[in-house]
Amino acid sequence: MEKVRAKNNRTIVLGSDEIEGLKKETVSAAQIKKGLSFVNKVINADIFDALKVLPDAFADLIIIDPPYNLSKNFNGMNFKEMTSEKYDFYLESWLPEVCKKLKNNGSLYLCGDWKCTASLQRALEKELTVLNRITWQREKGRGAKANWKNGMEDIWFAVKNPDDYYFNLEAVKIKRRVLAPYTKEGLPKDWQKTEEGNFRLTCPSNFWDDISIPFWSMPENTDHPTQKPEKLYAKLILASSKPGDMVFDPFLGSGTSSVTAKKLGRNYCGIEINEEYSLLAQKRLNMADTDKSIQGYSEGIFWERNAKIQ
């Protein structure tokens, strides 16, 4: 039964007249095995089938947003919560193979929440060198009556070679409002005065409080239950890849990593088992041909939440 949506709801949905055309734009594992290119493609396949036909060491950057250890319905495909030991085994069933797809000087980011983050660290440290854990504020969500509200998630940052990896600090500085501007000899010190207010470019830390979760009035929103924001992935892509590099996502979902990579001039490849989500990803990729905007990022600058209206 089709959802009844508000007049100004901007959620991206599939039209019945679009489905067949979008199917032709995605590829299967069997097609790649026969020689069809996987570059800049959505691969609608099981992760285990797709990993077998993808070459090793092809990705400059890998972004992984796997199912967390929670019971969740992904458009009819149910992931069941399990013990930590079984979740460890689940991670070990695919993570080593994914890490083989990373170039020797590549970087990998692995997303999780408080409940599965220990398992993620354990699994990742067996394959790569972990350099940091990013925690980002997830301001959307319900409160809890007998517990603290879950308002954050983690992203583990790891590399294959800690002596040889790319990281562009200047590309991910954040523009923050200066509330108590300091001057030296009457001139701004380490900040700029603009018509929109006083701002300072600051170095990013491993705590991010400037991210907005996609919701119904945002043009990137879909019905995917765990969709990541384009701004969140833009930080990872700009910091750890160059224009023209390959960004790989083995759990593509509704396509945020590939869409953001395309908007930022990178190549992309993503695997998604659910056909509807793979078609949503393809639709978003097609939309990115004419709209390369990323909410919260403009003119090469990341803005703190609500500092700049777009």
Side-chain angles (χ1 to χ4, degrees):
M1 187 173 180
E2 189 174 347
K3 291 183 179 181
V4 177
R5 302 180 189 273
K7 180 180 179 181
N8 296 323
N9 192 311
R10 303 175 74 180
T11 300
I12 301 169
V13 297
L14 295 174
S16 58
D17 58 336
E18 301 175 294
I19 292 176
E20 290 306 314
L22 292 171
K23 283 183 180 179
K24 294 176 182 178
E25 295 182 73
T26 65
V27 298
S28 67
Q31 288 175 311
I32 295 172
K33 187 175 181 178
K34 291 179 180 179
L36 197 65
S37 176
F38 61 85
V39 177
N40 296 335
K41 292 291 185 179
V42 174
I43 305 171
N44 181 206
D46 180 89
I47 183 174
F48 298 103
D49 294 334
L51 289 175
K52 291 176 183 177
V53 298
L54 292 173
D56 290 344
F58 79 92
D60 298 281
L61 171 62
I62 298 178
I63 299 175
I64 314 175
D65 183 21
Y68 298 174
N69 194 9
L70 301 166
S71 294
K72 185 73 67 172
N73 183 347
F74 294 98
N75 194 37
M77 305 183 75
N78 293 308
F79 189 89
K80 296 292 186 181
E81 182 179 355
M82 58 190 79
T83 65
S84 295
E85 291 77 12
K86 288 184 177 180
Y87 190 74
D88 287 348
F89 180 78
Y90 164 73
L91 294 175
E92 291 173 2
S93 71
W94 54 262
L95 184 59
E97 292 303 310
V98 169
C99 290
K100 290 179 182 178
K101 309 307 175 185
L102 190 64
K103 290 182 180 178
N104 286 333
N105 62 347
S107 300
L108 182 147
Y109 292 93
L110 179 59
C111 301
D113 70 348
W114 71 270
K115 190 171 185 180
C116 68
T117 197
S119 294
L120 299 179
Q121 182 182 11
R122 285 193 297 268
L124 197 54
E125 285 180 336
K126 292 178 182 178
E127 308 299 327
L128 304 173
T129 299
V130 174
L131 297 184
N132 213 326
R133 183 188 73 179
I134 299 163
T135 297
W136 61 281
Q137 185 181 23
R138 189 182 186 280
E139 87 290 355
K140 185 179 179 182
R142 297 178 180 177
K145 292 182 178 179
N147 201 343
W148 306 105
K149 175 182 175 180
N150 183 17
M152 48 73 72
E153 292 190 14
D154 289 336
I155 305 177
W156 290 94
F157 171 37
V159 298
K160 212 164 212 183
N161 184 350
D163 297 318
D164 182 20
Y165 66 94
Y166 178 79
F167 192 83
N168 187 347
L169 175 66
E170 293 300 318
V172 288
K173 286 187 174 180
I174 185 169
K175 197 166 189 176
R176 293 190 179 276
R177 193 178 299 275
V178 179
L179 300 179
Y182 177 73
T183 61
K184 184 176 182 179
E185 297 179 357
L187 299 175
K189 181 174 175 57
D190 299 327
W191 57 276
Q192 290 182 321
K193 185 176 182 179
T194 72
E195 293 181 357
E196 297 166 316
N198 301 325
F199 292 94
R200 174 185 289 115
L201 282 177
T202 61
C203 291
S205 72
N206 61 354
F207 175 70
W208 298 353
D209 61 354
D210 62 311
I211 305 297
S212 294
I213 299 294
F215 55 93
W216 62 270
S217 66
M218 291 173 64
E220 68 187 83
N221 190 55
T222 73
D223 285 328
H224 193 285
T226 61
Q227 180 181 346
K228 292 296 187 290
E230 291 180 9
K231 182 182 181 183
L232 179 74
Y233 280 1
K235 290 171 180 276
L236 309 180
I237 291 168
L238 287 169
S240 296
S241 71
K242 303 173 185 176
D245 278 355
M246 171 59 74
V247 179
F248 173 49
D249 185 342
F251 293 92
L252 186 61
S254 63
T256 297
S257 61
S258 290
V259 170
T260 309
K262 181 176 182 177
K263 289 182 176 184
L264 295 174
R266 275 67 172 171
N267 292 307
Y268 56 86
C269 170
I271 303 169
E272 175 51 46
I273 189 172
N274 186 280
E275 183 179 61
E276 183 173 334
Y277 291 154
S278 69
L279 299 182
L280 271 174
Q282 187 60 55
K283 179 172 180 175
R284 291 177 66 194
L285 284 164
N286 294 347
M287 293 168 65
D289 287 332
T290 55
D291 182 5
K292 299 191 181 302
S293 63
I294 297 173
Q295 185 158 324
Y297 175 75
S298 63
E299 300 173 356
I301 297 295
F302 285 102
W303 293 78
E304 61 183 327
R305 190 187 299 143
N306 301 324
K308 185 178 178 67
I309 299 175
Q310 296 188 32

